[in-house]
Amino acid sequence: MKILFCSSEVVPFAKTGGLADVAGALPVALKELKHDIRVVMPKYASIDKNKFSLKKVNKYLFTSKISDKVTVYFIDHDSFFKHDGLYGDKKGDYPDNLERFSYFSKKAIELIKEVKFVPDVVHCNDWQTALIIVYLKTLYKKDPVYSKIKTVFTIHNLAYQGLFGKESFSKLGLDEKYFHVDYLEYYDKINFLKGGLVFSDIITTVSEAYSKEIQTKEFGCGLEGLLAKRKDALFGIINGLDYNLWNPAQDALIYKKYSGKSLKDKHENKIKLQAECGFTKNKDILTCGMVSRLAEQKGVDVLSDSLDELMKLNLQVVILGTGDVKYHDILLDLAQKHKDSLRVFLKFDNKIAHRIYAASDLFLMPSRYEPCGLGQMISLKYATIPLVFKTGGLADTIIDFHKDKANGNGFVFENFSKYDFISTVKRAMDVFKKDKFKVLINRAVKSNFSWQASAVKYIDLFKRLLKEKV
Ligand code: ADP
């Protein structure tokens, strides 16, 4: 099968969140199942041509590979991808995002002819690539090269929809009739993601639970009606984890490599991080880590509301994140107040992220909603026990230890409040002090969320799609 995978971020080239992890790993897993898969993404200014051995095809097209296995096409432009970031800066989203991603979408389609790779399936991800599907099913529909291509749209986060003022609709090159509630119109705005949901042959999202949640008013972000209407074409496939990148036994970024069998070396990581944070160096003090976008979605408000109280306990908290300036300020103030036991790194830093996963005892993910979540899977591999809110992919992957002693692999709170969060930290702390914590650790390091099983599910779905209309 031939697949063109379209994503606005791909590890190792550019990353702001989990989408990049998926886009760097799922194509490799599909390739290992012997499918001809290629990836297309923008050529951002931050992508170093030498570091990643980019080869020039023409002025606006470059290629490279993921892990020497999967071909990646990079689409360039004289100005659209010359910004420092991917989607925005401190001032907000880039004002030319509509032009940037509609240009990228058309070029991704034209690439098919240019490199003579006609896929059976075009697999798009999130709002940035949704227009590829819209264009394939409208502007390019009659072209015999494109007319047989099936389309799949994966929602990684429904809350980010790519909304733009209606006055820009003419810039998209689409017939005016598509600025309509049945297509791209959404409360008098243009909604890219909605276009993907309307026009794609099938829709997937990154966990079973989230695929159900988004059909409800609480999690549907205004699109629950459309998603419920398309429920027969909507599937949940949990993300995997790339264990080549996330494995403490071969992780060059952490202080000391370790295997799940011996915790001595993990503790060396802990002592080093405690020293770096200015904390008391003691393996018996509970160290809680968090690596996250600082957004409301991630429950940063609940966390920051809880920190004064948590700091009264004998524990340490280290947070790595960037995002809303509001949370930067709140967390900095709190860190100032609790210098001995709270450290906050306000940046995007892969090395610190790896070190926190390795050094912590508990990994905090109090997300309000979570389509899949990678942090909980990463932390398990690093023998770090996740503490999560019961939602989306977190509900699908983490079982509360107190509810199910035989299978529990973490701590789960079920009412989204600071009281429940704090009492769950206390529960975890209690287990940490006892021998029972070893049971959890032994279970954690054995967990397996590899991409293989999920890649097979995607292929089954693609095969179904090629045979029949879902
Ligand atoms: P989302 O995609 O919603 O941000 P996920 O849990 O799916 O959340 O994925 C987040 C990914 O980004 C993980 O690999 C996590 O380790 C990483 N990450 C988040 N914030 C940072 C940061 N400040 N520095 C380094 N890595 C980060």
Side-chain angles (χ1 to χ4, degrees):
M1 193 185 302
K2 287 190 194 150
I3 304 153
L4 183 63
F5 189 94
C6 312
S7 176
S8 58
E9 50 184 276
V10 181
V11 163
F13 309 107
K15 167 168 170 173
T16 68
L19 169 62
D21 292 291
V22 174
L26 173 59
V28 175
L30 293 173
K31 183 89 183 185
E32 278 161 6
L33 294 174
K34 307 271 178 278
H35 296 285
D36 187 357
I37 177 154
R38 306 193 192 173
V39 176
V40 59
M41 69 177 292
K43 162 67 187 75
Y44 301 107
S46 57
I47 300 174
D48 184 329
K49 285 183 192 150
N50 295 327
K51 181 175 167 200
F52 294 114
S53 313
L54 262 62
K55 291 196 188 76
K56 187 172 174 174
V57 178
N58 62 45
K59 195 172 170 213
Y60 301 109
L61 184 63
F62 296 85
T63 65
S64 181
K65 290 206 166 196
I66 304 172
S67 314
D68 275 337
K69 287 180 183 143
V70 175
T71 297
V72 182
Y73 298 106
F74 298 85
I75 288 169
D76 206 352
H77 183 269
D78 287 334
S79 65
F80 291 159
F81 304 121
K82 303 302 180 207
H83 309 49
D84 289 338
L86 270 54
Y87 316 124
D89 54 25
K90 282 200 178 100
K91 284 185 260 160
D93 292 342
Y94 293 134
D96 58 352
N97 273 349
L98 174 133
E99 288 88 343
R100 296 170 81 221
F101 289 103
S102 58
Y103 162 83
F104 172 73
S105 298
K106 282 193 185 148
K107 286 289 169 193
I109 294 173
E110 285 159 18
L111 171 85
I112 288 172
K113 282 191 181 172
E114 195 158 346
V115 300
K116 299 190 178 59
F117 175 73
V118 183
D120 301 298
V121 174
V122 165
H123 183 175
C124 294
N125 297 275
D126 279 354
W127 70 264
Q128 296 90 338
T129 53
L131 279 192
I132 296 175
I133 293 177
V134 177
Y135 287 145
L136 277 172
K137 301 285 177 169
T138 55
L139 292 183
Y140 295 83
K141 193 171 80 178
K142 294 219 172 84
D143 186 324
V145 173
Y146 300 115
S147 58
K148 288 201 192 69
I149 296 174
K150 297 287 182 191
T151 53
V152 176
F153 184 67
T154 297
I155 307 164
H156 296 261
N157 193 333
L158 190 63
Y160 299 88
Q161 301 183 352
L163 295 179
F164 302 97
K166 64 177 173 185
E167 64 286 353
S168 297
F169 194 78
S170 60
K171 293 183 189 161
L172 300 180
L174 290 166
D175 192 300
E176 276 174 19
K177 73 177 183 201
Y178 294 116
F179 188 71
H180 183 275
V181 67
D182 289 342
Y183 303 105
L184 276 81
E185 190 264 350
Y186 175 85
Y187 296 102
D188 217 27
K189 288 206 150 108
I190 308 166
N191 185 326
F192 278 22
L193 182 124
K194 186 178 174 191
L197 300 180
V198 168
F199 284 100
S200 61
D201 292 312
I202 53 176
I203 303 165
T204 74
T205 186
V206 288
S207 67
E208 277 280 338
Y210 193 61
S211 76
K212 304 273 178 330
E213 286 171 353
I214 56 177
Q215 295 176 50
T216 66
K217 195 163 174 14
E218 192 184 351
F219 295 99
C221 303
L223 293 168
E224 58 276 9
L226 171 58
L227 286 160
K229 208 162 92 189
R230 297 221 58 197
K231 71 174 187 314
D232 293 338
L234 172 62
F235 303 88
I237 302 179
I238 193 93
N239 285 335
L241 188 64
D242 186 347
Y243 287 112
N244 293 315
L245 295 180
W246 298 106
N247 180 357
Q250 56 189 47
D251 189 332
L253 297 175
I254 61 179
Y255 302 104
K256 172 121 199 206
K257 294 178 193 166
Y258 61 97
S259 79
K261 288 195 192 98
S262 153
L263 286 185
K264 209 173 120 271
D265 293 337
K266 176 173 170 75
H267 287 149
E268 207 172 310
N269 284 280
K270 176 168 173 175
I271 300 291
K272 290 259 168 56
L273 186 73
Q274 285 174 325
E276 202 173 316
C277 293
F279 297 164
T280 306
K281 292 186 277 175
N282 182 345
K283 75 171 177 48
D284 296 324
I285 298 179
L286 180 74
T287 302
C288 307
M290 180 162 177
V291 178
S292 181
R293 282 186 295 113
L294 299 180
E296 203 187 66
Q297 176 204 341
K298 302 293 182 180
V300 187
D301 48 347
V302 161
L303 174 84
S304 48
D305 284 353
S306 310
L307 277 169
D308 276 333
E309 195 142 344
L310 289 180
M311 290 298 117
K312 290 182 196 150
L313 309 171
N314 186 24
L315 54 73
Q316 302 164 336
V317 177
V318 46
I319 300 167
L320 167 67
T322 51
D324 287 359
V325 180
K326 177 174 85 179
Y327 295 125
H328 286 213
D329 296 343
I330 295 173
L331 289 173
L332 270 187
D333 280 353
L334 284 161
Q336 202 54 29
K337 203 163 138 194
H338 303 285
K339 280 202 180 99
D340 296 342
S341 45
L342 174 62
R343 181 72 200 265
V344 177
F345 297 95
L346 295 175
K347 51 182 168 177
F348 195 95
D349 189 314
N350 197 32
K351 184 157 118 186
I352 302 180
H354 280 248
R355 291 182 168 183
I356 292 177
Y357 285 115
S360 308
D361 303 297
L362 211 60
F363 190 76
L364 306 178
M365 280 186 93
S367 305
R368 230 178 214 90
Y369 71 92
E370 193 60 81
C372 176
L374 291 174
Q376 82 280 21
M377 300 184 193
I378 300 171
S379 65
L380 285 170
K381 182 70 188 170
Y382 283 73
T384 301
I385 306 305
L387 185 155
V388 307
F389 179 56
K390 188 175 181 178
T391 185
L394 300 175
D396 280 357
T397 51
I398 305 303
I399 302 166
D400 186 79
F401 184 62
H402 286 107
K403 277 209 155 163
D404 182 350
K405 291 248 166 41
N407 300 295
N409 59 355
F411 300 95
V412 182
F413 64 109
E414 297 192 13
N415 293 310
F416 195 74
S417 72
K418 85 171 202 186
Y419 306 102
D420 251 43
F421 174 62
I422 293 170
S423 73
T424 308
V425 173
K426 286 183 181 164
R427 275 205 286 129
M429 198 167 175
D430 203 40
V431 177
F432 173 73
K433 286 185 199 143
K434 300 184 180 133
D435 249 14
K436 285 188 283 185
F437 202 67
K438 290 207 187 93
V439 175
L440 265 171
I441 288 186
N442 289 335
R443 208 169 278 158
V445 296
K446 285 190 200 122
S447 59
N448 183 0
F449 296 101
S450 74
W451 265 108
Q452 225 176 2
S454 297
V456 169
K457 287 189 184 154
Y458 275 104
I459 289 300
D460 285 349
L461 212 53
F462 295 172
K463 281 186 180 158
R464 247 176 92 179
L465 181 62
L466 293 173
K467 269 198 225 125
E468 65 192 60
K469 188 120 187 70
V470 179

